[in-house]
Amino acid sequence: MDTDGTRDAHNTHATPLPRPAGPVEGAVMPPMPTMPPGAPPRPDGSTFLTWLRAPRPQAAPGVWRLGHRPRPEREPERIPTRQLLSGALIAFLVGWLVWSLLWNGYLGTWWVLPLDLFTPDSWREGNDRVGNAFLWYGYYTVIALAILFVVGRLGRWGEVWRRFGPPAWQPSEPTAEPPPTPGQDPAEFPHLRAAGAGAAAERLAAEARAGVMRDVDHARIDRAWQGVRSGRHSLAAFTGAVLKDGSAACLHPSGERDLPARHARHDLLTGQVRLGTTADDPRNPYHYRGAGLGLGPDLLGTSLLAVGPAGSGKTGGVIRPLAESLCLHALAGQAAVVVVGAAGAGLGPAESYDVVVRIGHTDSVYDLDLYGGTTDPDEAAAILAEALVGDLADPHPGSDSRRSTTVLAQLLGPFHAVHGRFPSVPELRGLLDGAPGPLAALRKALTDTGQEPLLRELDARERQVAHPGDVGTVLADRIALLDRPAFAPFFDTSGRTRPFSLKALDHPVRVRVDLPQRGHADASRILARLVLAQFTAAVTAREDRSLFACLLLDDASGVVTPEAVRGIQRLRSAGAGAVLTLRTLDDAPRPLRGPLLGAIGCRMALSGLTPWDGQDFAEVWGKEWTETRDVTDRQIIAETPAGKAVHMLRRVITGQAPTARAVTVRQVERERWSASELAHAVPAGHAVLSLTSVRGEHAPPLLVDLRG
């Protein structure tokens, strides 16, 4: 561009400056830029390699392992400052007194006996004054150092130095880890080289050093390698894919290698997401205090229940980070996740999911399969009965909804046999209402197709309609909640829409289901029960259970039913888990609270809990043996005139009567966290969390800062 011409065009009075004919003598030319101005710096892989090589020691359940520095199981005894300093001073004075007594001969000359026994007389009695001085004063120095060593140990001078000396003036820096050897460097992929995939290891190591590889890529390739080791994939196919695409090999079907944004801290090498920090509180075990709290599939496989009022951090502090972590695991081919919550609840952007079902919104791309993708009328009837009237069943653990299942099966079986599909919501409502028109049309179709056995099912249904206690009436009232104009485009069974079925959990899929809670609260609870029932039925029927499946249900009010509790109990053995949140345990029937807390391995009580909710948590967490100290002060009565005078003087100086203190130490059994403590002693933004891993490891209730 002609800059002079541009200047003249904008300012006709400007005079162009003269340009030098050549480089100015003595001037230094600037270096040639390596990239365009404003371009981001090129990655060098140092950040990824640092993350990959960071220490991850084995730790207790729930401890954030990335960079964790283990602590002792028991808290070391910390001496009070006053007692420590006074003891150090007294020890110094005692050492000084002993040395003075030895030096001045008040204790005799026995302490020089070793010098007389182990040295020649010529050394001690010679004319060499320098040698004699060196011998005797060297021996005196040894004795003095021995006295200093003894009194230093007795006075804990080392503790004084560590607590008040230069080591305490500056914060301790973590020691640098030694560089790993080539055979143990994870950035060189030694396990691939050992298995004969050296070329693939070289390609991956080069991309890791160049900064091309990400943590999701590493986890995805590791998942693919596990498939090679288990025999699902061949070594040649794995090597060919890596040599062709490098760190982008074995991509997720969506083609994405990361989420649009991350709001939590993740470590895909251990599978953990950091939720907060374990508080430095005496009620927490010492080896947990100050450690990060990390949850992963090993803990979510026993399911998680979080209870707390609105605004306590259930969605933003628990559900959102877990959903983000599981979406990353899905991109790595390690998990399948279904997140269910109200529309606009802040469960992550739509770009983070493969399927977003927005029930009640006309612009929703996907529909929800009302029958869970099954073609078995009995299975479809069981799932639908649980969704419609599961909360109306007897809440005791032994009850179920078999009558409702039978009623639905009597209609779904004949309808599917005639039409090759299940009825839509309006068609099912008409059949449950017992109107003569739909039942007569179904009977005629069965007669025309020769389905005689299914006619008996329809006859039984027509006989039950005439009874006053027919369950079909209740089912018709509940299905009518879904037969609304807002839901008219949804739950279609004719094939015109794209219904999503939870049968797809055999693949690493990311799903978000938005419930229409505003104006349709009852319908939202039905749909939440429907998704939970379909989830438990789908994951327990999977063949490949190495793919972790998890359901995150934000606000599980009205979802806790006897069948739901039984389904959650089966998830652990199926390689799956569920995360439920409740505002209060009153949202679950009273007879089901104990079985629910017993079926779930990880239990979280957030701040603001009510005392009666805290009582349920206190009972399930049980009691522990603890040491109590009872201190009793007994007044001392003087009998002599001198003693009375001393006591009077002491009372005048201190203002208190002379007492003798008696301390009684006992072992008592007390609740780990009482209901009153859970209701009033948990600070805002904190929670009390107990953990159980799929391997059976336990962590006691921990006070956790969810904001840390």
mmCIF file of all heavy atoms in Angstrom, residues 530-576:
data_model
loop_
_atom_site.group_PDB
_atom_site.id
_atom_site.type_symbol
_atom_site.label_atom_id
_atom_site.label_comp_id
_atom_site.label_asym_id
_atom_site.label_seq_id
_atom_site.Cartn_x
_atom_site.Cartn_y
_atom_site.Cartn_z
ATOM 1 N N LEU A 530 -39.608 -41.695 34.148
ATOM 2 C CA LEU A 530 -39.492 -42.471 32.913
ATOM 3 C C LEU A 530 -38.025 -42.634 32.512
ATOM 4 O O LEU A 530 -37.583 -43.740 32.165
ATOM 5 C CB LEU A 530 -40.278 -41.780 31.802
ATOM 6 C CG LEU A 530 -40.196 -42.421 30.407
ATOM 7 C CD1 LEU A 530 -40.865 -43.787 30.426
ATOM 8 C CD2 LEU A 530 -40.849 -41.521 29.366
ATOM 9 N N VAL A 531 -37.247 -41.546 32.578
ATOM 10 C CA VAL A 531 -35.840 -41.632 32.197
ATOM 11 C C VAL A 531 -35.077 -42.537 33.164
ATOM 12 O O VAL A 531 -34.235 -43.345 32.746
ATOM 13 C CB VAL A 531 -35.225 -40.224 32.146
ATOM 14 C CG1 VAL A 531 -33.721 -40.301 31.899
ATOM 15 C CG2 VAL A 531 -35.887 -39.397 31.060
ATOM 16 N N LEU A 532 -35.356 -42.430 34.460
ATOM 17 C CA LEU A 532 -34.672 -43.279 35.428
ATOM 18 C C LEU A 532 -35.015 -44.748 35.207
ATOM 19 O O LEU A 532 -34.130 -45.623 35.257
ATOM 20 C CB LEU A 532 -35.042 -42.851 36.850
ATOM 21 C CG LEU A 532 -34.431 -43.675 37.986
ATOM 22 C CD1 LEU A 532 -32.917 -43.670 37.904
ATOM 23 C CD2 LEU A 532 -34.901 -43.156 39.336
ATOM 24 N N ALA A 533 -36.283 -45.053 34.941
ATOM 25 C CA ALA A 533 -36.677 -46.442 34.699
ATOM 26 C C ALA A 533 -36.032 -46.980 33.418
ATOM 27 O O ALA A 533 -35.551 -48.121 33.379
ATOM 28 C CB ALA A 533 -38.200 -46.549 34.619
ATOM 29 N N GLN A 534 -36.024 -46.168 32.356
ATOM 30 C CA GLN A 534 -35.387 -46.609 31.119
ATOM 31 C C GLN A 534 -33.878 -46.771 31.301
ATOM 32 O O GLN A 534 -33.270 -47.692 30.732
ATOM 33 C CB GLN A 534 -35.680 -45.607 30.001
ATOM 34 C CG GLN A 534 -37.138 -45.566 29.563
ATOM 35 C CD GLN A 534 -37.349 -44.630 28.393
ATOM 36 O OE1 GLN A 534 -36.412 -44.026 27.880
ATOM 37 N NE2 GLN A 534 -38.601 -44.491 27.962
ATOM 38 N N PHE A 535 -33.256 -45.903 32.099
ATOM 39 C CA PHE A 535 -31.820 -45.997 32.322
ATOM 40 C C PHE A 535 -31.454 -47.290 33.042
ATOM 41 O O PHE A 535 -30.544 -48.018 32.614
ATOM 42 C CB PHE A 535 -31.352 -44.784 33.129
ATOM 43 C CG PHE A 535 -29.891 -44.796 33.463
ATOM 44 C CD1 PHE A 535 -28.949 -44.384 32.541
ATOM 45 C CD2 PHE A 535 -29.458 -45.230 34.710
ATOM 46 C CE1 PHE A 535 -27.601 -44.395 32.843
ATOM 47 C CE2 PHE A 535 -28.114 -45.248 35.028
ATOM 48 C CZ PHE A 535 -27.188 -44.830 34.094
ATOM 49 N N THR A 536 -32.131 -47.595 34.126
ATOM 50 C CA THR A 536 -31.820 -48.826 34.868
ATOM 51 C C THR A 536 -32.093 -50.070 34.027
ATOM 52 O O THR A 536 -31.343 -51.051 34.099
ATOM 53 C CB THR A 536 -32.639 -48.874 36.162
ATOM 54 O OG1 THR A 536 -34.039 -48.745 35.855
ATOM 55 C CG2 THR A 536 -32.236 -47.756 37.102
ATOM 56 N N ALA A 537 -33.149 -50.028 33.199
ATOM 57 C CA ALA A 537 -33.436 -51.184 32.348
ATOM 58 C C ALA A 537 -32.398 -51.338 31.245
ATOM 59 O O ALA A 537 -32.022 -52.464 30.886
ATOM 60 C CB ALA A 537 -34.840 -51.046 31.746
ATOM 61 N N ALA A 538 -31.895 -50.208 30.713
ATOM 62 C CA ALA A 538 -30.956 -50.282 29.591
ATOM 63 C C ALA A 538 -29.566 -50.703 30.054
ATOM 64 O O ALA A 538 -28.923 -51.547 29.422
ATOM 65 C CB ALA A 538 -30.892 -48.933 28.874
ATOM 66 N N VAL A 539 -29.065 -50.134 31.157
ATOM 67 C CA VAL A 539 -27.683 -50.421 31.556
ATOM 68 C C VAL A 539 -27.535 -51.820 32.133
ATOM 69 O O VAL A 539 -26.463 -52.434 32.019
ATOM 70 C CB VAL A 539 -27.187 -49.368 32.569
ATOM 71 C CG1 VAL A 539 -27.165 -47.993 31.945
ATOM 72 C CG2 VAL A 539 -28.018 -49.379 33.842
ATOM 73 N N THR A 540 -28.579 -52.346 32.752
ATOM 74 C CA THR A 540 -28.472 -53.699 33.285
ATOM 75 C C THR A 540 -28.548 -54.759 32.194
ATOM 76 O O THR A 540 -28.182 -55.914 32.444
ATOM 77 C CB THR A 540 -29.590 -53.944 34.315
ATOM 78 O OG1 THR A 540 -30.866 -53.631 33.727
ATOM 79 C CG2 THR A 540 -29.380 -53.081 35.547
ATOM 80 N N ALA A 541 -28.995 -54.391 30.986
ATOM 81 C CA ALA A 541 -29.075 -55.352 29.885
ATOM 82 C C ALA A 541 -27.896 -55.236 28.929
ATOM 83 O O ALA A 541 -27.861 -55.932 27.914
ATOM 84 C CB ALA A 541 -30.380 -55.151 29.106
ATOM 85 N N ARG A 542 -26.918 -54.379 29.238
ATOM 86 C CA ARG A 542 -25.764 -54.220 28.343
ATOM 87 C C ARG A 542 -24.844 -55.432 28.421
ATOM 88 O O ARG A 542 -24.744 -56.093 29.462
ATOM 89 C CB ARG A 542 -24.960 -52.970 28.716
ATOM 90 C CG ARG A 542 -25.689 -51.673 28.516
ATOM 91 C CD ARG A 542 -24.748 -50.509 28.819
ATOM 92 N NE ARG A 542 -24.165 -50.623 30.162
ATOM 93 C CZ ARG A 542 -23.142 -49.901 30.603
ATOM 94 N NH1 ARG A 542 -22.590 -49.003 29.803
ATOM 95 N NH2 ARG A 542 -22.673 -50.058 31.826
ATOM 96 N N GLU A 543 -24.162 -55.700 27.312
ATOM 97 C CA GLU A 543 -23.155 -56.763 27.300
ATOM 98 C C GLU A 543 -21.778 -56.227 27.680
ATOM 99 O O GLU A 543 -21.050 -56.859 28.433
ATOM 100 C CB GLU A 543 -23.104 -57.407 25.909
ATOM 101 C CG GLU A 543 -24.383 -58.139 25.520
ATOM 102 C CD GLU A 543 -24.267 -58.812 24.169
ATOM 103 O OE1 GLU A 543 -23.180 -58.696 23.553
ATOM 104 O OE2 GLU A 543 -25.240 -59.435 23.724
ATOM 105 N N ASP A 544 -21.405 -55.068 27.156
ATOM 106 C CA ASP A 544 -20.102 -54.464 27.458
ATOM 107 C C ASP A 544 -20.294 -53.491 28.611
ATOM 108 O O ASP A 544 -20.767 -52.367 28.430
ATOM 109 C CB ASP A 544 -19.551 -53.744 26.229
ATOM 110 C CG ASP A 544 -18.184 -53.118 26.499
ATOM 111 O OD1 ASP A 544 -17.561 -53.486 27.524
ATOM 112 O OD2 ASP A 544 -17.755 -52.268 25.705
ATOM 113 N N ARG A 545 -19.902 -53.919 29.799
ATOM 114 C CA ARG A 545 -20.058 -53.079 30.979
ATOM 115 C C ARG A 545 -18.771 -52.348 31.342
ATOM 116 O O ARG A 545 -18.690 -51.730 32.403
ATOM 117 C CB ARG A 545 -20.526 -53.924 32.163
ATOM 118 C CG ARG A 545 -21.889 -54.556 31.909
ATOM 119 C CD ARG A 545 -22.428 -55.284 33.114
ATOM 120 N NE ARG A 545 -23.779 -55.788 32.864
ATOM 121 C CZ ARG A 545 -24.514 -56.436 33.762
ATOM 122 N NH1 ARG A 545 -24.011 -56.669 34.977
ATOM 123 N NH2 ARG A 545 -25.732 -56.852 33.467
ATOM 124 N N SER A 546 -17.759 -52.416 30.483
ATOM 125 C CA SER A 546 -16.557 -51.634 30.727
ATOM 126 C C SER A 546 -16.781 -50.159 30.429
ATOM 127 O O SER A 546 -16.020 -49.306 30.887
ATOM 128 C CB SER A 546 -15.406 -52.159 29.867
ATOM 129 O OG SER A 546 -15.699 -52.012 28.477
ATOM 130 N N LEU A 547 -17.829 -49.832 29.657
ATOM 131 C CA LEU A 547 -18.195 -48.447 29.387
ATOM 132 C C LEU A 547 -19.071 -47.952 30.534
ATOM 133 O O LEU A 547 -20.203 -48.397 30.706
ATOM 134 C CB LEU A 547 -18.931 -48.339 28.053
ATOM 135 C CG LEU A 547 -19.318 -46.929 27.601
ATOM 136 C CD1 LEU A 547 -18.090 -46.140 27.187
ATOM 137 C CD2 LEU A 547 -20.324 -46.993 26.456
ATOM 138 N N PHE A 548 -18.543 -47.048 31.325
ATOM 139 C CA PHE A 548 -19.279 -46.550 32.482
ATOM 140 C C PHE A 548 -20.449 -45.689 32.025
ATOM 141 O O PHE A 548 -20.305 -44.813 31.172
ATOM 142 C CB PHE A 548 -18.351 -45.738 33.382
ATOM 143 C CG PHE A 548 -19.028 -45.180 34.607
ATOM 144 C CD1 PHE A 548 -19.436 -46.013 35.629
ATOM 145 C CD2 PHE A 548 -19.254 -43.820 34.727
ATOM 146 C CE1 PHE A 548 -20.052 -45.508 36.750
ATOM 147 C CE2 PHE A 548 -19.866 -43.291 35.846
ATOM 148 C CZ PHE A 548 -20.267 -44.144 36.865
ATOM 149 N N ALA A 549 -21.620 -45.945 32.566
ATOM 150 C CA ALA A 549 -22.826 -45.180 32.257
ATOM 151 C C ALA A 549 -23.316 -44.507 33.528
ATOM 152 O O ALA A 549 -23.339 -45.123 34.604
ATOM 153 C CB ALA A 549 -23.922 -46.082 31.688
ATOM 154 N N CYS A 550 -23.698 -43.245 33.405
ATOM 155 C CA CYS A 550 -24.114 -42.488 34.582
ATOM 156 C C CYS A 550 -25.295 -41.603 34.227
ATOM 157 O O CYS A 550 -25.342 -40.992 33.153
ATOM 158 C CB CYS A 550 -22.957 -41.639 35.112
ATOM 159 S SG CYS A 550 -23.282 -40.892 36.730
ATOM 160 N N LEU A 551 -26.242 -41.548 35.148
ATOM 161 C CA LEU A 551 -27.413 -40.684 35.029
ATOM 162 C C LEU A 551 -27.315 -39.597 36.091
ATOM 163 O O LEU A 551 -27.198 -39.902 37.278
ATOM 164 C CB LEU A 551 -28.703 -41.486 35.207
ATOM 165 C CG LEU A 551 -29.989 -40.672 35.334
ATOM 166 C CD1 LEU A 551 -30.315 -39.967 34.020
ATOM 167 C CD2 LEU A 551 -31.161 -41.556 35.758
ATOM 168 N N LEU A 552 -27.354 -38.328 35.668
ATOM 169 C CA LEU A 552 -27.341 -37.196 36.581
ATOM 170 C C LEU A 552 -28.726 -36.572 36.565
ATOM 171 O O LEU A 552 -29.163 -36.035 35.537
ATOM 172 C CB LEU A 552 -26.287 -36.168 36.159
ATOM 173 C CG LEU A 552 -24.848 -36.427 36.567
ATOM 174 C CD1 LEU A 552 -24.266 -37.638 35.857
ATOM 175 C CD2 LEU A 552 -23.970 -35.209 36.281
ATOM 176 N N LEU A 553 -29.408 -36.666 37.692
ATOM 177 C CA LEU A 553 -30.790 -36.206 37.794
ATOM 178 C C LEU A 553 -30.844 -35.037 38.763
ATOM 179 O O LEU A 553 -30.752 -35.219 39.982
ATOM 180 C CB LEU A 553 -31.697 -37.348 38.253
ATOM 181 C CG LEU A 553 -33.200 -37.077 38.299
ATOM 182 C CD1 LEU A 553 -33.698 -36.563 36.960
ATOM 183 C CD2 LEU A 553 -33.958 -38.337 38.679
ATOM 184 N N ASP A 554 -30.938 -33.846 38.216
ATOM 185 C CA ASP A 554 -31.032 -32.645 39.044
ATOM 186 C C ASP A 554 -32.474 -32.479 39.515
ATOM 187 O O ASP A 554 -33.395 -32.388 38.704
ATOM 188 C CB ASP A 554 -30.581 -31.431 38.237
ATOM 189 C CG ASP A 554 -30.418 -30.201 39.100
ATOM 190 O OD1 ASP A 554 -30.165 -30.353 40.312
ATOM 191 O OD2 ASP A 554 -30.529 -29.080 38.563
ATOM 192 N N ASP A 555 -32.644 -32.452 40.828
ATOM 193 C CA ASP A 555 -33.961 -32.364 41.469
ATOM 194 C C ASP A 555 -34.764 -33.636 41.221
ATOM 195 O O ASP A 555 -35.579 -33.732 40.300
ATOM 196 C CB ASP A 555 -34.738 -31.148 40.978
ATOM 197 C CG ASP A 555 -35.994 -30.912 41.816
ATOM 198 O OD1 ASP A 555 -36.166 -31.606 42.845
ATOM 199 O OD2 ASP A 555 -36.801 -30.039 41.448
ATOM 200 N N ALA A 556 -34.514 -34.630 42.076
ATOM 201 C CA ALA A 556 -35.186 -35.924 41.972
ATOM 202 C C ALA A 556 -36.450 -35.979 42.812
ATOM 203 O O ALA A 556 -36.826 -37.050 43.305
ATOM 204 C CB ALA A 556 -34.226 -37.035 42.407
ATOM 205 N N SER A 557 -37.127 -34.855 42.990
ATOM 206 C CA SER A 557 -38.377 -34.846 43.755
ATOM 207 C C SER A 557 -39.433 -35.688 43.042
ATOM 208 O O SER A 557 -39.664 -35.535 41.846
ATOM 209 C CB SER A 557 -38.890 -33.407 43.912
ATOM 210 O OG SER A 557 -37.919 -32.592 44.531
ATOM 211 N N GLY A 558 -40.051 -36.570 43.787
ATOM 212 C CA GLY A 558 -41.082 -37.439 43.227
ATOM 213 C C GLY A 558 -40.552 -38.588 42.411
ATOM 214 O O GLY A 558 -41.336 -39.303 41.782
ATOM 215 N N VAL A 559 -39.249 -38.796 42.389
ATOM 216 C CA VAL A 559 -38.648 -39.860 41.583
ATOM 217 C C VAL A 559 -38.331 -41.084 42.428
ATOM 218 O O VAL A 559 -38.228 -42.201 41.904
ATOM 219 C CB VAL A 559 -37.373 -39.332 40.883
ATOM 220 C CG1 VAL A 559 -36.691 -40.421 40.074
ATOM 221 C CG2 VAL A 559 -37.722 -38.157 39.982
ATOM 222 N N VAL A 560 -38.189 -40.906 43.730
ATOM 223 C CA VAL A 560 -37.806 -42.014 44.615
ATOM 224 C C VAL A 560 -39.027 -42.896 44.844
ATOM 225 O O VAL A 560 -39.979 -42.523 45.539
ATOM 226 C CB VAL A 560 -37.243 -41.479 45.939
ATOM 227 C CG1 VAL A 560 -36.843 -42.643 46.840
ATOM 228 C CG2 VAL A 560 -36.069 -40.567 45.689
ATOM 229 N N THR A 561 -39.007 -44.070 44.248
ATOM 230 C CA THR A 561 -40.073 -45.061 44.376
ATOM 231 C C THR A 561 -39.450 -46.392 44.782
ATOM 232 O O THR A 561 -38.222 -46.563 44.717
ATOM 233 C CB THR A 561 -40.818 -45.219 43.042
ATOM 234 O OG1 THR A 561 -39.910 -45.752 42.063
ATOM 235 C CG2 THR A 561 -41.358 -43.874 42.550
ATOM 236 N N PRO A 562 -40.252 -47.355 45.214
ATOM 237 C CA PRO A 562 -39.665 -48.673 45.552
ATOM 238 C C PRO A 562 -38.903 -49.294 44.396
ATOM 239 O O PRO A 562 -37.817 -49.851 44.587
ATOM 240 C CB PRO A 562 -40.892 -49.500 45.948
ATOM 241 C CG PRO A 562 -41.902 -48.510 46.409
ATOM 242 C CD PRO A 562 -41.684 -47.288 45.574
ATOM 243 N N GLU A 563 -39.424 -49.194 43.186
ATOM 244 C CA GLU A 563 -38.733 -49.769 42.038
ATOM 245 C C GLU A 563 -37.467 -48.992 41.708
ATOM 246 O O GLU A 563 -36.459 -49.578 41.283
ATOM 247 C CB GLU A 563 -39.668 -49.783 40.826
ATOM 248 C CG GLU A 563 -39.101 -50.501 39.611
ATOM 249 C CD GLU A 563 -38.770 -51.960 39.885
ATOM 250 O OE1 GLU A 563 -39.499 -52.597 40.678
ATOM 251 O OE2 GLU A 563 -37.778 -52.466 39.315
ATOM 252 N N ALA A 564 -37.493 -47.669 41.908
ATOM 253 C CA ALA A 564 -36.296 -46.872 41.666
ATOM 254 C C ALA A 564 -35.180 -47.248 42.630
ATOM 255 O O ALA A 564 -34.011 -47.330 42.247
ATOM 256 C CB ALA A 564 -36.626 -45.386 41.778
ATOM 257 N N VAL A 565 -35.512 -47.495 43.893
ATOM 258 C CA VAL A 565 -34.501 -47.902 44.872
ATOM 259 C C VAL A 565 -33.907 -49.254 44.490
ATOM 260 O O VAL A 565 -32.688 -49.459 44.562
ATOM 261 C CB VAL A 565 -35.115 -47.929 46.287
ATOM 262 C CG1 VAL A 565 -34.126 -48.509 47.288
ATOM 263 C CG2 VAL A 565 -35.531 -46.529 46.712
ATOM 264 N N ARG A 566 -34.753 -50.172 44.053
ATOM 265 C CA ARG A 566 -34.239 -51.477 43.623
ATOM 266 C C ARG A 566 -33.367 -51.336 42.373
ATOM 267 O O ARG A 566 -32.355 -52.035 42.222
ATOM 268 C CB ARG A 566 -35.403 -52.434 43.362
ATOM 269 C CG ARG A 566 -36.054 -52.965 44.630
ATOM 270 C CD ARG A 566 -37.006 -54.106 44.300
ATOM 271 N NE ARG A 566 -38.203 -53.613 43.657
ATOM 272 C CZ ARG A 566 -39.333 -53.289 44.290
ATOM 273 N NH1 ARG A 566 -39.386 -53.403 45.611
ATOM 274 N NH2 ARG A 566 -40.381 -52.857 43.651
ATOM 275 N N GLY A 567 -33.756 -50.438 41.471
ATOM 276 C CA GLY A 567 -32.945 -50.236 40.272
ATOM 277 C C GLY A 567 -31.581 -49.641 40.595
ATOM 278 O O GLY A 567 -30.566 -50.026 40.001
ATOM 279 N N ILE A 568 -31.520 -48.693 41.535
ATOM 280 C CA ILE A 568 -30.242 -48.099 41.922
ATOM 281 C C ILE A 568 -29.339 -49.146 42.554
ATOM 282 O O ILE A 568 -28.112 -49.126 42.367
ATOM 283 C CB ILE A 568 -30.495 -46.908 42.872
ATOM 284 C CG1 ILE A 568 -31.178 -45.771 42.107
ATOM 285 C CG2 ILE A 568 -29.203 -46.434 43.502
ATOM 286 C CD1 ILE A 568 -31.590 -44.606 42.979
ATOM 287 N N GLN A 569 -29.915 -50.068 43.289
ATOM 288 C CA GLN A 569 -29.103 -51.131 43.885
ATOM 289 C C GLN A 569 -28.440 -52.010 42.827
ATOM 290 O O GLN A 569 -27.369 -52.576 43.075
ATOM 291 C CB GLN A 569 -29.972 -51.990 44.804
ATOM 292 C CG GLN A 569 -30.425 -51.283 46.072
ATOM 293 C CD GLN A 569 -31.393 -52.126 46.883
ATOM 294 O OE1 GLN A 569 -32.056 -53.023 46.349
ATOM 295 N NE2 GLN A 569 -31.499 -51.839 48.168
ATOM 296 N N ARG A 570 -29.045 -52.133 41.647
ATOM 297 C CA ARG A 570 -28.484 -52.989 40.590
ATOM 298 C C ARG A 570 -27.442 -52.274 39.733
ATOM 299 O O ARG A 570 -26.755 -52.928 38.945
ATOM 300 C CB ARG A 570 -29.609 -53.501 39.689
ATOM 301 C CG ARG A 570 -30.621 -54.398 40.380
ATOM 302 C CD ARG A 570 -31.515 -55.088 39.363
ATOM 303 N NE ARG A 570 -32.308 -54.143 38.606
ATOM 304 C CZ ARG A 570 -33.549 -53.779 38.921
ATOM 305 N NH1 ARG A 570 -34.117 -54.275 40.011
ATOM 306 N NH2 ARG A 570 -34.216 -52.917 38.172
ATOM 307 N N LEU A 571 -27.319 -50.963 39.863
ATOM 308 C CA LEU A 571 -26.419 -50.225 38.980
ATOM 309 C C LEU A 571 -24.960 -50.553 39.252
ATOM 310 O O LEU A 571 -24.144 -50.578 38.325
ATOM 311 C CB LEU A 571 -26.656 -48.719 39.142
ATOM 312 C CG LEU A 571 -28.015 -48.180 38.690
ATOM 313 C CD1 LEU A 571 -28.094 -46.689 38.919
ATOM 314 C CD2 LEU A 571 -28.265 -48.513 37.225
ATOM 315 N N ARG A 572 -24.607 -50.786 40.502
ATOM 316 C CA ARG A 572 -23.193 -50.980 40.854
ATOM 317 C C ARG A 572 -22.594 -52.181 40.131
ATOM 318 O O ARG A 572 -21.469 -52.124 39.628
ATOM 319 C CB ARG A 572 -23.077 -51.136 42.366
ATOM 320 C CG ARG A 572 -21.660 -51.335 42.876
ATOM 321 C CD ARG A 572 -21.657 -51.280 44.387
ATOM 322 N NE ARG A 572 -20.338 -51.528 44.951
ATOM 323 C CZ ARG A 572 -20.055 -51.463 46.245
ATOM 324 N NH1 ARG A 572 -21.009 -51.148 47.104
ATOM 325 N NH2 ARG A 572 -18.835 -51.711 46.687
ATOM 326 N N SER A 573 -23.340 -53.261 40.054
ATOM 327 C CA SER A 573 -22.839 -54.454 39.371
ATOM 328 C C SER A 573 -22.935 -54.345 37.858
ATOM 329 O O SER A 573 -22.358 -55.170 37.148
ATOM 330 C CB SER A 573 -23.616 -55.687 39.843
ATOM 331 O OG SER A 573 -25.002 -55.555 39.549
ATOM 332 N N ALA A 574 -23.645 -53.339 37.354
ATOM 333 C CA ALA A 574 -23.806 -53.164 35.913
ATOM 334 C C ALA A 574 -22.826 -52.150 35.341
ATOM 335 O O ALA A 574 -22.951 -51.774 34.168
ATOM 336 C CB ALA A 574 -25.235 -52.731 35.591
ATOM 337 N N GLY A 575 -21.856 -51.690 36.118
ATOM 338 C CA GLY A 575 -20.911 -50.696 35.618
ATOM 339 C C GLY A 575 -21.555 -49.360 35.366
ATOM 340 O O GLY A 575 -21.219 -48.676 34.400
ATOM 341 N N ALA A 576 -22.474 -48.960 36.238
ATOM 342 C CA ALA A 576 -23.206 -47.711 36.063
ATOM 343 C C ALA A 576 -23.449 -47.091 37.420
ATOM 344 O O ALA A 576 -23.213 -47.698 38.471
ATOM 345 C CB ALA A 576 -24.527 -47.949 35.323
#
